[in-house]
Amino acid sequence: MASKLSTRGGAVVIVGFMGAGKTSAARALASARGRAAIDSDRLIEQRVGRTVADFFERDGEAAFRAVEEQVVCELLDAAEGDDVISLGGGAVTSKRVRRSLRRHVVVWLDVDPAVAWRRSGGGKRPLSRERRAFHALHSERLPIYESVADAIVPATSRQTLAIAYPALATLRDAPAGTRMLWAVSASGDYPVWVGRGLVGAGIWPVERPPSRRFLVSDENVAARWAARLGELDGQLAIRPGEASKTLASATAIWQAMVAERITRSDHVVALGGGVVGDLAGFCAATYQRGIPVVQVPTTLVAQVDSAYGGKTGVDLLEAKNYVGAFHQPAGVLVDPGTLDTLPAPELSAGYAEVLKTALIAGGTLWERVAADAPIDEQLILDCIRCKLAVVAADERDGGVRQVLNLGHTVGHAIEVAAGYGRYRHGEAVALGLLVALRLSGQEELRGRVARLLDAHGLPTHASGLDIEAVLAATQLDKKRGPGGVPMVLVDEPGRVRHGAAVEDRDLEQAVLEVVA
Ligand SMILES: NC(=O)c1ccc[n+]([C@@H]2O[C@H](COP(=O)([O-])OP(=O)(O)OC[C@H]3O[C@@H](n4cnc5c(N)ncnc54)[C@H](O)[C@@H]3O)[C@@H](O)[C@H]2O)c1
């Protein structure tokens, strides 16, 4: 089933909080498409013959909302496919407006409340005079914006929406319920589509032809999902598993690409879990000094974490992910339907990354994960949003991005010490999380996390590992500096610190506790 843009010819409607820049983003988008934007507040002002601020002030909020509802519903009910409309921040609080939005493509221009306050706080607008109330209103509105949004675009620049438009427009061919997130990073922006049935739906971030596509997958995934992608211009399926994330595999892929005459105008498709995504991304980053890669993640690890952010690379025998490059994808297609064929232990492994993300995000994501909410499309989407926000703030891992390494310093060391493959990446991260929580002095939280891991079939203890080998591999962590290996520690869910100094003795004890 196609989504609403094609079936109903819906307009692009921009919603979001005060200060998100909806009016100027709508203008930039409309003018790029040779049209004039429509602003609901201007229509209200024409209708009542006064400014919105004056009307709101003198007649009160209830009177304003009644007129707003009427004007906005008339506007939405008459709107057509080419229209670009921006709505006042509170318009979506009306049920009737939300009903009228259903046939349109709704873009939530998501603004950080501190930025919104800087832009519009303390000013003329009636609801933006007092900082605390402003922040409270922002929190109250978030779930409403989210519930109506087909696309979430960060309010970083007034041009972002115009740049994102081609990807936004592909929602017209997407399966019903597909949502799009716009990923922003210093080296480039890209779309992330999330929806069941996306693999094979024809949505693609790179125009082809002319761009030809070379598929990298693994044997398990290729057998189940590659045919859905349709025509390919070359492919190579590696043997499944971490042991294939090597320079030898990369060489085989590069050579197969040469054999298919893949050039810089072509692109790589990474269809699989984190191993395929990291390896194929690395091959794309380096082949002819870099060609685009489209990530199509098929494991929970890859869908909530590894497919975004542009970290690509291979392992060395001595240390994990030691050779690589930053290479943001041209786009990511997340089809939760692919998880239907994922073996249960792999789904469990992915749960460790969900738990890590929830600890970093805190708030409602942590509350839901702590209450053992089901792993569904919404949970995947929320984990992606957390990762994209962190990467947007620090693409190159120079600061805040290091929080994503929570549980990974020791997790990676366990993978290396076990010779790759004995513990799945997610299983090693599960153990690493327990070490990090012990070092954080979070007794109760550690117990809670251990129970969740256990309930999801993840290990809370590992046997038969050489403790010295684990500690030695920990010392090879890429973030090691003159002061030792900096750890990521948790003060509470939502408050995670990176670069924390830890005594060797404490680290050893915390590792011994899970590895003895
Ligand atoms: N780049 C990053 O930011 C980042 C983040 C987290 C993890 N990683 C990396 O990700 C890797 C782990 O990824 P992973 O856990 O996805 O492992 P994986 O890629 O090895 O996949 C796990 C197994 O599931 C199979 N599989 C995948 N999708 C399937 C499907 N839909 N149906 C049936 N079988 C399927 C694979 O063949 C494999 O056997 C590690 O190398 C880790 O370093 C990278």
Side-chain angles (χ1 to χ4, degrees), residues 218 220 242 245 273-275 278 298-299 306 311 320 338 341:
D218 74 25
N220 292 338
E242 190 71 32
K245 211 173 103 177
V275 165
D278 283 8
T298 63
T299 62
S306 64
K311 278 192 182 177
K320 206 174 137 66
T338 58
T341 62

Side-chain angles (χ1 to χ4, degrees), residues 428-449:
V429 168
L431 297 165
L433 282 176
L434 294 177
V435 172
L437 288 167
R438 169 66 69 229
L439 292 169
S440 307
Q442 297 289 339
E443 188 69 28
E444 197 195 324
L445 186 59
R446 187 182 184 280
R448 204 163 175 192
V449 166

Side-chain angles (χ1 to χ4, degrees), residues 147-492:
S147 72
V148 297
D150 297 300
I152 305 178
V153 176
T156 42
S157 122
R158 74 182 56 185
Q159 293 304 330
T160 308
L161 202 54
I163 297 166
Y165 183 75
L168 193 65
T170 62
L171 283 171
R172 68 168 47 97
D173 302 316
T178 299
R179 280 176 288 177
M180 192 193 91
L181 305 173
W182 187 249
V184 172
S185 72
S187 68
D189 299 359
Y190 55 92
V192 176
W193 292 276
V194 185
R196 259 191 117 80
L198 264 179
V199 172
I203 305 287
W204 208 249
V206 181
E207 204 184 320
R208 58 181 190 95
S211 188
R212 298 160 71 234
R213 56 183 181 181
F214 186 93
L215 176 76
V216 178
S217 190
D218 74 25
E219 289 158 0
N220 292 338
V221 181
R224 290 168 173 85
W225 294 98
R228 303 248 181 142
L229 290 174
E231 212 176 304
L232 300 163
D233 302 290
Q235 56 181 303
L236 191 140
I238 57 166
R239 293 190 61 185
E242 190 71 32
S244 290
K245 211 173 103 177
T246 59
L247 268 180
S249 301
T251 304
I253 293 167
W254 288 319
Q255 289 173 333
M257 288 165 71
V258 175
E260 296 294 350
R261 303 280 181 271
I262 296 297
T263 72
R264 278 193 188 169
S265 341
D266 303 324
H267 63 282
V268 169
V269 183
L271 173 73
V275 165
V276 164
D278 283 8
L279 176 65
F282 176 63
C283 290
T286 45
Y287 183 79
Q288 297 190 354
R289 298 201 181 83
I291 70 172
V293 59
V294 176
Q295 294 281 353
V296 187
T298 63
T299 62
L300 188 58
V301 167
Q303 294 195 351
V304 298
D305 191 346
S306 64
Y308 328 92
K311 278 192 182 177
T312 72
V314 296
D315 302 329
L316 299 182
L317 264 185
E318 296 78 1
K320 206 174 137 66
N321 296 337
Y322 238 50
V323 177
F326 284 98
H327 191 53
Q328 299 298 340
V332 187
L333 266 91
V334 185
D335 182 345
T338 58
L339 300 182
D340 293 348
T341 62
L342 189 68
E346 300 297 347
L347 202 63
S348 294
Y351 181 75
E353 298 284 15
V354 170
L355 203 44
K356 174 202 83 170
T357 309
L359 283 166
I360 294 168
T364 54
L365 181 55
W366 165 251
E367 282 162 22
R368 276 159 44 224
V369 170
D372 213 3
I375 298 165
D376 57 12
E377 215 169 301
Q378 185 61 46
L379 200 70
I380 292 172
L381 191 102
D382 291 341
C383 289
I384 302 172
R385 289 187 62 203
C386 172
K387 171 127 191 198
L388 295 185
V390 173
V391 175
D394 171 28
E395 179 184 2
R396 293 281 164 141
D397 223 359
V400 69
R401 183 169 180 172
Q402 289 174 28
V403 299
L404 295 174
N405 253 19
L406 176 62
H408 281 60
T409 311
V410 171
H412 283 166
I414 290 172
E415 284 186 82
V416 174
Y420 297 122
R422 198 167 123 216
Y423 288 97
R424 292 177 177 86
H425 173 72
E427 292 168 345
V429 168
L431 297 165
L433 282 176
L434 294 177
V435 172
L437 288 167
R438 169 66 69 229
L439 292 169
S440 307
Q442 297 289 339
E443 188 69 28
E444 197 195 324
L445 186 59
R446 187 182 184 280
R448 204 163 175 192
V449 166
R451 284 191 293 280
L452 285 166
L453 293 171
D454 192 46
H456 284 259
L458 283 162
T460 53
H461 286 97
S463 55
L465 275 176
D466 175 353
I467 176 82
E468 291 307 325
V470 175
L471 290 171
T474 304
Q475 294 304 321
L476 274 179
D477 187 276
K478 296 191 291 298
K479 312 238 165 12
R480 186 187 167 81
V485 179
M487 296 291 293
V488 183
L489 302 183
V490 183
D491 291 331
E492 61 177 301

